[in-house]
Amino acid sequence: MSLDSESSSPSSSRDWFFPSPSFIHSTSHSPQSPTYPRKFSTISTHPRSSPPHWKPPAHGDPKYGRLRRRVDFTRRSEKTPKQEGDGPVLAHKRDVSKAVPSEKTAAGEIGFRVFGQRVKIRWQMAFSLAILITAFGSLVHKNFSLHDQVIDLQDQISIMNIRLQACNMLDPLDTISISQESDHLSSKGLKVLALTISIALLSLPIFLFKYIDYISKLRSSYNSSEKVSLNKQLEYRVDVVLSVHPYAKPLALLVATLLLICLGGLALFGVTDDSLADCLWLSWTYVADSGNHANSEGMGPRLVSVSISFGGMLIFAMMLGLVSDAISEKLDSLRKGRSEVVEQNHTLILGWSDKLGSLLNQLAIANESLGGGTVVVMAERDKEEMELDIAKMEFDFRGTSVICRSGSPLILADLKKVSVSKARAIIVLADDGNADQSDARALRTVLSLTGVKEGLRGHIVVELSDLDNEVLVKLVGGELVETVVAHDVIGRLMIQCARQPGLAQIWEDILGFENCEFYIKRWPQLDGMQFEDVLISFPDAIPCGVKVASRGGKIILNPDDSYILQEGDEVLVIAEDDDTYAPSTLPTVWRGSLPRDFIVPKLMEKILLCGWRRDMEDMIMVLDAFLAPGSELWMFNEVVESERDRKLDDGGLDLSRLVNIQLVHREGNAVIRRHLESLPLESFDSILILADESVEDSAIQADSRSLATLLLIRDIQAKRLPYREAMVTRGQRGSFSRGSWIGEMQQASDRSVIISEILDPRTKNLLSMSKISDYVLSNELVSMALAMVAEDRQINDVLEELFAEEGNELHIRLAELYLHEGEELSFYEMILRARQRREIVIGYRLANAERAVINPPAKNERRRWSVKDVFVVITEKE
């Protein structure tokens, strides 16, 4: 019976798996040290082992090979004795683990699994990397070893060739062929090495990116709190490098080009028979021109050349993008005014306001004698908008170039962009709007200017809106700062013009650069001369002060005649330009005497102020100092009376300390006729129409309001005048028809002086043509003052004294104070006569003339004067 049949029967199976009772009895008598029969020593003790009477088949018997394999498989599927022995231990561990809470058990198992997985993955990666390195190293080592063997064989062949040639047994042609064959074997090894290196270098980035991606995923799986992956971190670092370093993109493109050329050259060297240098050059031609690979022959060279050409197209596309972006950025920076201004001795204007046009005009006129200059304007506006607004200005720049830049004067980088340290003068314009905010911004601008590391070559001219902030700005800026308080200057100027009609035109001539202006210069030939003689020493200028060197450079207007010029003193004059005057020989002038000691009496006046200004308290104090006792000041505006008292009190005005004037309050709108008709307009000596605080931000709106108020006042005055007086006055004028409304207004203008504050220079044409009112062009006068101080900072002391409450001022005097009717005198003689009253005559206006003449020519020529003429003088305030 075969073994297969026995194993298939049930009885044989039971005999197979269960031992006989005698066997159980024999093995159970000694449980501590069981003994087994010797004949079973080679039989396994497994419960499913073969019966005791079975003997193992002979080795190599094919009849029992299958059964043996089956028995072995069954044996491996069962537990080993060691596993059976470890059973109680594992059971004990399971019992212990049950004592731990379920949550800790789960966490421990998960942590153990994650840790095991992490270790396993790292070992796998390390093992894979080690295999790759070993394979690559072995390949390289093999190539180098083959190369060394080829060299050794070449040396041996050379030695053998030498020996054969010595024996005349070798042909020279065979020697050449053998050497060529050896060189071919050597170059073939190098080409294989070059091709291998190029393929390895091309594959390296792929493995690197895969490894980085794998590490990023592994970290995210281990640490769920880490939200930023390694890929994103690397992308962020690359973005930072490309954005921070300006040359990072071109350098990266250059490195990519060189790598492509090198790798392509190595690959071509591996698939062609050319030398390495020729392959590198061929690779560059493929990169530079993608059509050069058309002549390649063979599958390998064509594949490599097409790959290099694709890389070259990509690189040149990126290069074209970089060049296009660079050109666009440059043009955009030029359009937006981001480029740096490379200038020296230029005038820098910081800010933008309605005064900019007049300021640029005055600077252009001042630079005309020098052949033009450079003015740089920086404001927080678009460069194209600024250039467009400047191009619309209706004046000739006279060779002066205006450069605009966008930026903030509070940022040092923007200040450096306009070469602030090399400017000869810096003008800080006040912003339109709130006075306190404008002055605060001017203060911060001065702080930024003083913080320039290179230092400032020129001085700073700051336009302020409130006189109270002047001390703080000068404290911050120190000796570098000159301030022009525009609002207060205009308020005082309007008061002077209201009391002296025609003074506004004189101020325009003196402050502007078109006519005559102030200049200070030293003349050594005048040292030791009295000031009285200095007055008649300049045929083309009028001296009006001295800068005293012994008093720290203080400027004294209208000094004593007996003052003797010392060494270092400079003379202040009014002249057309700084190079148009010079002292000459002292002329002989007859002094003469005044006709009489005439004292101009102070009379009570009645003045009306239409509108409200921020410096109203300052204007009231100036009027109280100028007017005679018993004068009245009427205030007509839309501010309620209680609010007026509060504003005046906040401004520092004590109404109880007013001596010469009495305030009369009226509330109403100055552009409503019925409100104006409630006022006694025909009884006022002077009427001041102010640019109201509520509309001063808009020049056009403020001028429209002022012009409407002027026309209404003149119309009401003309209708209230007696008819006969109006006819007589109209007949004397004769320039307009009998029923002309403007003729009636001109007749009414003789009854009272009206001064209108005008902000827009274009509005003055309407007033100058109508001749019904005098005007103060506030923005233009302030621009003139800023330009004059920017050209010479010493002039600011002169202007401050002329506009101050004390000291000297400009006055218009009647000719009858100095001469008789029809008397013939030269202008030099008029100067000396005025010195008897401690006054300096700087010009005159004839009775039939519309404008005054400042610094007249031909001062030594005699002419006939009339008592109706007037003279412009510098005199002490009364």
Side-chain angles (χ1 to χ4, degrees), residues 16-30:
W16 182 275
F17 290 106
F18 298 98
S20 62
S22 61
F23 174 76
I24 297 174
H25 177 75
S26 63
T27 57
S28 61
H29 70 277
S30 180

Side-chain angles (χ1 to χ4, degrees), residues 353-370:
S353 68
D354 296 333
K355 307 178 184 68
L356 182 64
S358 301
L359 179 59
L360 291 177
N361 186 23
Q362 294 301 319
L363 292 176
I365 297 172
N367 294 329
E368 184 180 8
S369 60
L370 302 176

Side-chain angles (χ1 to χ4, degrees), residues 496-782:
Q496 292 182 11
C497 295
R499 298 179 62 246
Q500 303 180 70
L503 190 61
Q505 175 259 319
I506 297 172
W507 270 113
E508 287 184 21
D509 293 342
I510 293 178
L511 291 178
F513 287 97
E514 290 180 329
N515 298 306
C516 295
E517 53 273 355
F518 291 105
Y519 293 101
I520 300 178
K521 189 182 293 186
R522 168 162 169 73
W523 301 99
Q525 60 267 37
L526 299 180
D527 291 347
M529 187 181 296
Q530 292 185 354
F531 183 74
E532 184 180 15
D533 296 331
V534 174
L535 284 173
I536 57 176
S537 298
F538 292 89
D540 299 316
I542 299 178
C544 51
V546 178
K547 181 180 178 181
V548 183
S550 59
R551 299 181 61 178
K554 182 180 180 181
I555 297 177
I556 300 178
L557 278 174
N558 191 15
D560 295 333
D561 292 340
S562 59
Y563 178 80
I564 300 175
L565 268 68
Q566 305 295 326
E567 183 179 359
D569 288 352
E570 301 179 24
V571 181
L572 172 68
V573 301
I574 295 179
E576 186 176 358
D577 206 345
D578 58 349
D579 56 354
T580 59
Y581 72 98
S584 62
T585 57
L586 194 63
T588 301
V589 181
W590 178 63
R591 176 187 294 271
S593 60
L594 296 174
R596 54 178 174 169
D597 189 9
F598 185 80
I599 299 176
V600 180
K602 280 189 175 183
L603 302 177
M604 292 186 299
E605 299 182 35
K606 194 173 183 180
I607 299 178
L608 173 65
L609 296 181
C610 292
W612 185 271
R613 288 170 56 95
R614 295 190 306 270
D615 59 339
M616 187 65 74
E617 64 280 354
D618 183 67
M619 297 181 66
I620 294 175
M621 294 173 62
V622 173
L623 284 172
D624 185 65
F626 285 164
L627 298 179
S631 301
E632 292 183 0
L633 177 61
W634 288 56
M635 303 178 64
F636 178 71
N637 49 67
E638 297 182 80
V639 182
V640 297
E641 186 174 352
S642 58
E643 184 69 15
R644 297 179 195 177
D645 295 337
R646 185 189 65 80
K647 289 185 176 183
L648 294 176
D649 184 66
D650 293 341
L653 176 64
D654 188 1
L655 298 178
S656 61
R657 299 182 61 181
L658 298 179
V659 178
N660 298 325
I661 61 175
Q662 179 183 359
L663 297 182
V664 180
H665 295 281
R666 290 290 185 272
E667 184 178 348
N669 193 338
V671 295
I672 299 178
R673 187 183 183 92
R674 67 175 182 273
H675 292 177
L676 290 173
E677 288 179 343
S678 63
L679 301 174
L681 298 177
E682 70 279 0
S683 64
F684 291 108
D685 298 294
S686 302
I687 299 176
L688 280 70
I689 303 177
L690 309 176
D692 198 86
E693 185 179 14
S694 59
V695 294
E696 66 177 355
D697 295 341
S698 175
I700 297 177
Q701 186 176 357
D703 290 351
S704 300
R705 185 182 179 90
S706 299
L707 189 59
T709 303
L710 170 64
L711 295 176
L712 288 174
I713 290 175
R714 283 305 188 198
D715 185 56
I716 295 173
Q717 285 181 338
K719 287 180 171 52
R720 292 181 180 181
L721 289 175
Y723 177 76
R724 183 170 57 185
E725 183 180 358
M727 291 295 295
V728 172
T729 308
R730 195 181 303 121
Q732 292 177 353
R733 289 183 178 270
S735 58
F736 295 95
S737 62
R738 186 168 182 175
S740 173
W741 64 273
I742 196 170
E744 295 179 356
M745 291 185 178
Q746 286 180 346
Q747 174 265 333
S749 65
D750 292 338
R751 300 281 299 177
S752 62
V753 177
I754 297 183
I755 302 295
S756 303
E757 181 182 3
I758 301 301
L759 303 180
D760 194 341
R762 293 170 293 184
T763 311
K764 71 177 182 179
N765 298 328
L766 301 175
L767 297 177
S768 61
M769 291 175 60
S770 63
K771 301 178 182 178
I772 60 176
S773 171
D774 202 353
Y775 59 88
V776 174
L777 201 57
S778 58
N779 283 349
E780 190 168 359
L781 290 177
V782 172

Side-chain angles (χ1 to χ4, degrees), residues 115 199 268 282 348 352 395 401 428 455 608 729 855:
F115 178 75
I199 295 174
L268 286 175
L282 194 61
L348 176 61
W352 188 279
F395 60 84
S401 59
V428 181
L608 173 65
T729 308
N855 184 27

Side-chain angles (χ1 to χ4, degrees), residues 814-851:
L814 296 175
E816 61 181 358
L817 297 176
Y818 310 101
L819 49 82
H820 298 281
E821 178 69 29
E823 189 174 3
E824 291 186 1
L825 297 171
S826 66
F827 192 77
Y828 275 148
E829 292 174 344
M830 290 301 307
I831 291 177
L832 294 182
R833 284 196 180 187
R835 289 305 297 168
Q836 300 178 33
R837 293 175 52 88
R838 188 65 186 281
E839 297 173 350
I840 299 177
V841 180
I842 63 173
Y844 61 86
R845 189 181 70 184
L846 300 179
N848 57 354
E850 296 181 356
R851 297 182 66 88

